Amino acid sequence: MRLSPRLARSLSLHTKLMLALVVLVALVVGTSSYSLVEHERERRLVELEERATRIADLYSRSLAQPLWNVDRGAIDSQLAALAPNPEVAEFTVTAANYGTVSSVKGAPHPDPGDSVVRIRSIEFDPPGAAPLEKIGEIRVVLTKAVAEQAFGRARRVILATMATVLAALYAATFILLKRMVRSPINRLEEMVDRIAGGDLDARCVVESGDELGRLATRVNVMADRLRESTACLRESERKYRSIVENSLEGIFLLDRSGRLNEANAAMAQLLGYDTATELIEAWTHDPDRRPFSPSQTERLFDILNTHGKIAGLELQLHRLDGKPIWAQLNARGVADGAGAPRSLEGLLTDVTVRKRAQENLRRHRDQLELEVGERKRTELELLASREQLRELSAHLEAAREEERKRIAMEIHDELGQLLTALKMDVSLLKMHLADDSVAMRKAAEMRELVEKTIQIVRHVSSHLRPAALNFGLASALEWLAEDFSRHAQIPCYFHMEGAEPSFADPRATAIFRIVQESLTNVARHAGASRVDVTLVSTEAGIELSIRDDGRGFDIAAARAGYSYGLQGMAERARLIDASLHIQSEPDCGSVVRLCVQDDFVTSR
């Protein structure tokens, strides 16, 4: 049984339960009764068939002798013995070659065709060892009508009994459900309606511990939580309203037509209105006074459709008095049922002061960029001039070294030759003078003067251009160490590790001058008792170090004091693409280290 949806909705729970119970009991009882009746019917029919088989077998044996003797009386008496049975429809005895001998019919029935038929042969057993001889047959017909009528009456009785039981059960169940289910449910409905109507203090009475009682308990728990949620919601609404009303930023709700549906006091003050209500109603009286122009509204919703939100958008608005202002807008969309943004809720911040400051900063930045560009151009010119000065300095240094070399060669070759010739002439002159004469003494003095002049010439020539440079850097540094020890009275030792390097003449001269300047500084300022000059040649290049055990000095103070000796050494190192490092601390001595890469070194 299936009710229509409309009828099912109109029925109460009590009626639905009763209908379900009636249908369930009817199905169970009817199915059980039908099964029992059908089972009994099948059993009775099987017994009827077995009875017909037994009767046929009995008559086939008992009628053999009377049929052999053709004793009709005996045959009729045996058939008549079972004929009164209401289930007997027909007994017929047929003799072989004679036809029907006897036939007995029972009471007529409505459906004589619905019967059980059994036919058995009647055989005579002659005396002796003769075989059995078929002398006729017995036909037994039993009707099923009696059993069917009995089962029909039983069905009617069962249906009547079932109807009575269902009626009694329906009445009892109706009363019990009304008292145990319907009344508590009605009371639950009443309490739920009161809670839904806003009476959050209403509570259901828990009358039992069954499902309805547990449901009442859950309804009470729901009411408690609903009251707490409502209190929290009201508190949240109060806080939200307080935040909106006291916010320093304008808060608004804008629809697609450009109408403001909601706004706070800060929004009204930002646009020059006294109250938010006046701002919202201004659009109704004069559409031209809307806070956002139609193009601005369309642009806002286009951005919202594209990005899903608006963040940090700056736009220009106009106050009620027509004064333009700049505002920064942050907003999100409020979607309709189809998911498209139907309105826009956001925050509006006045950034007019910041915008003006940015404009001022932009102007200052542009001006600063112009000044920086001019300064960079000037710096580039200064760098170019400094590079030119360095090139000129390098050229002058090379020319000076070349001039020193030329002067040293001329002094050594020409002046040296003249002084040597003069010395020889003085020696020849002494040979022609008397030993104790005044002229002899004067010639001896002249010869000493010539000797001193030759030594001075050699000294000047060596300082202008050491002749040892012609034999390599190592020889020149060794000579320089010996010369320093002789003149400065400070022991100076030269050490060389690895193969002797070979440099071009300008580079070798620059290295020699750096070492010479370092030794000069040691002699003037260090107060050292020992100096070591070490030349180390490796695959990466050479490393030349000048180490003393003097008093040391403050490098930063020396550079700040414009030490021309250090500057000259650094400039010479730069000109030959070498790196110069100076390490020194007061009372700890000094180390000057010069490193030249192997691109400029050729080992001998």
Side-chain angles (χ1 to χ4, degrees):
M1 180 179 180
R2 184 177 180 181
L3 300 177
S4 64
R6 183 176 180 181
L7 179 59
R9 287 193 297 269
S10 63
L11 295 178
S12 64
L13 177 62
H14 181 264
T15 305
K16 292 178 183 178
L17 290 175
M18 294 303 303
L19 288 176
L21 179 63
V22 169
V23 171
L24 179 62
V25 172
L27 288 176
V28 172
V29 175
T31 303
S32 302
S33 301
Y34 179 78
S35 299
L36 292 174
V37 171
E38 287 298 319
H39 178 71
E40 184 65 22
R41 177 176 173 275
E42 294 295 332
R43 189 183 65 80
R44 291 287 297 274
L45 292 178
V46 170
E47 290 180 352
L48 182 63
E49 291 178 354
E50 293 177 350
R51 191 179 303 114
T53 301
R54 289 195 301 270
I55 292 173
D57 292 340
L58 176 63
Y59 277 142
S60 66
R61 290 191 298 271
S62 64
L63 292 178
Q65 187 66 34
L67 184 60
W68 175 261
N69 295 325
V70 192
D71 188 354
R72 291 182 180 271
I75 295 173
D76 290 339
S77 62
Q78 290 188 24
L79 296 179
L82 297 177
N85 194 324
E87 295 176 344
V88 175
E90 179 184 353
F91 290 154
T92 302
V93 179
T94 305
N97 300 324
Y98 289 99
T100 302
V101 176
S102 178
S103 179
V104 177
K105 295 184 180 295
H109 295 282
D111 189 7
D114 189 7
S115 58
V116 178
V117 180
R118 293 290 184 271
I119 299 175
R120 294 289 185 273
S121 298
I122 302 175
E123 297 177 341
F124 176 70
D125 187 11
L132 294 175
E133 181 182 355
K134 181 179 179 182
I135 59 175
E137 63 182 11
I138 177 68
R139 185 172 185 268
V140 177
V141 179
L142 300 181
T143 182
K144 299 179 181 178
V146 177
E148 294 293 343
Q149 291 174 0
F151 288 124
R153 288 192 298 271
R155 288 190 187 96
R156 288 191 293 272
V157 171
I158 290 173
L159 287 176
T161 304
M162 185 175 68
T164 303
V165 171
L166 286 176
L169 182 63
Y170 182 87
T173 306
F174 181 85
I175 295 173
L176 290 175
L177 286 178
K178 183 176 181 180
R179 294 185 60 185
M180 300 174 64
V181 177
R182 185 175 180 181
S183 297
I185 289 178
N186 289 337
R187 288 191 290 273
L188 282 175
E189 288 180 348
E190 180 183 357
M191 291 298 104
V192 171
D193 290 340
R194 289 177 58 186
I195 293 172
D199 186 5
L200 299 180
D201 294 325
R203 294 294 180 271
C204 300
V205 178
V206 181
E207 300 176 350
S208 62
D210 56 8
E211 287 79 0
L212 291 176
R214 292 195 294 271
L215 178 60
T217 302
R218 284 175 171 77
V219 170
N220 292 336
V221 172
M222 180 192 68
D224 293 336
R225 293 180 178 175
L226 184 61
R227 182 174 61 181
E228 294 174 0
S229 300
T230 303
C232 293
L233 183 62
R234 289 174 179 172
E235 179 64 18
S236 299
E237 183 179 2
R238 184 192 65 78
K239 291 180 179 179
Y240 169 76
R241 183 58 57 187
S242 175
I243 291 173
V244 171
E245 295 298 332
N246 298 324
S247 175
L248 299 179
E249 296 179 333
I251 302 176
F252 64 93
L253 181 65
L254 178 73
D255 61 17
R256 286 185 173 272
S257 64
R259 178 186 180 89
L260 277 179
N261 295 323
E262 294 182 11
N264 66 342
M267 182 73 175
Q269 184 179 3
L270 178 66
L271 297 177
Y273 293 87
D274 295 332
T275 62
T277 304
E278 182 181 352
L279 170 62
I280 295 173
E281 294 178 353
W283 186 87
T284 305
H285 302 298
D286 187 0
D288 294 334
R289 294 173 61 184
R290 69 186 75 187
F292 300 96
S293 65
S295 60
Q296 288 177 334
T297 304
E298 183 178 0
R299 180 189 175 194
L300 292 178
F301 278 94
D302 288 342
I303 296 175
L304 195 62
N305 290 329
T306 304
H307 301 286
K309 63 179 181 179
I310 302 174
L313 177 65
E314 293 184 355
L315 68 164
Q316 191 176 38
L317 303 177
H318 289 81
R319 291 169 53 88
L320 179 62
D321 55 6
K323 181 180 179 180
I325 61 171
W326 281 95
Q328 185 182 69
L329 188 143
N330 296 280
R332 289 185 178 274
V334 178
D336 55 12
R342 60 178 174 81
S343 58
L344 181 149
E345 57 181 5
L347 301 175
L348 204 65
T349 306
D350 187 0
V351 294
T352 304
V353 176
R354 189 182 72 185
K355 194 73 174 178
R356 292 173 181 171
Q358 287 178 348
E359 292 294 333
N360 293 332
L361 287 175
R362 187 176 294 108
R363 288 195 299 269
H364 290 304
R365 185 190 64 187
D366 295 340
Q367 183 178 0
L368 183 61
E369 286 179 352
L370 292 176
E371 295 178 355
V372 169
E374 183 67 23
R375 179 176 178 179
K376 286 183 177 180
R377 185 181 63 79
T378 305
E379 288 179 352
L380 291 176
E381 292 178 354
L382 289 175
L383 289 174
S385 299
R386 187 176 66 178
E387 191 62 30
Q388 291 176 357
L389 288 174
R390 285 182 174 178
E391 293 177 358
L392 179 60
S393 175
H395 175 72
L396 293 175
E397 183 65 25
R400 185 162 51 248
E401 289 295 336
E402 186 64 27
E403 184 65 19
R404 285 176 177 178
K405 182 179 179 181
R406 186 185 63 80
I407 293 173
M409 292 296 293
E410 289 182 355
I411 291 175
H412 182 273
D413 293 341
E414 296 182 7
L415 186 58
Q417 290 178 6
L418 292 175
L419 290 174
T420 302
L422 181 59
K423 179 180 177 181
M424 292 174 63
D425 291 341
V426 172
S427 298
L428 291 174
L429 180 61
K430 286 178 61 178
M431 294 173 61
H432 298 284
L433 296 176
D435 292 338
D436 295 330
S437 63
V438 177
M440 176 60 76
R441 290 194 298 272
K442 197 65 176 177
E445 293 176 1
M446 290 175 61
R447 189 176 183 279
E448 291 177 1
L449 290 175
V450 171
E451 285 286 349
K452 290 181 181 180
T453 304
I454 291 175
Q455 290 179 2
I456 293 173
V457 168
R458 289 177 179 175
H459 180 71
V460 171
S461 177
S462 296
H463 281 79
L464 287 174
R465 166 69 179 181
L469 279 174
N470 298 327
F471 303 100
L473 179 62
S475 300
L477 295 178
E478 185 177 5
W479 172 86
L480 182 60
E482 294 175 355
D483 185 69
F484 177 81
S485 299
R486 185 172 56 253
H487 291 87
Q489 300 299 316
I490 300 174
C492 181
Y493 303 97
F494 173 72
H495 312 278
M496 186 176 70
E497 299 178 7
E500 181 180 356
S502 177
F503 289 97
D505 188 66
R507 198 171 303 276
T509 302
I511 296 173
F512 178 84
R513 295 301 182 192
I514 292 173
V515 177
Q516 190 178 40
E517 182 64 28
S518 299
L519 294 177
T520 301
N521 290 335
V522 171
R524 290 178 179 176
H525 309 292
S529 60
R530 177 188 174 97
V531 183
D532 291 282
V533 179
T534 305
L535 176 64
V536 179
S537 180
T538 62
E539 294 181 356
I542 69 161
E543 180 177 319
L544 181 63
S545 62
I546 303 95
R547 184 185 303 270
D548 67 80
D549 59 355
R551 64 174 62 96
F553 64 98
D554 188 347
I555 299 176
R559 288 176 177 171
Y562 300 100
S563 175
Y564 295 106
L566 296 180
Q567 293 181 5
M569 292 165 60
E571 184 64 21
R572 289 179 186 273
R574 189 191 65 81
L575 291 176
I576 61 173
D577 295 324
S579 58
L580 182 68
H581 305 281
I582 301 175
Q583 299 175 355
S584 181
E585 292 182 3
D587 300 326
C588 293
S590 304
V591 178
V592 178
R593 184 173 289 105
L594 180 70
C595 298
V596 184
Q597 296 180 357
D598 60 351
D599 297 340
F600 310 103
V601 182
T602 303
S603 299
R604 292 184 178 179

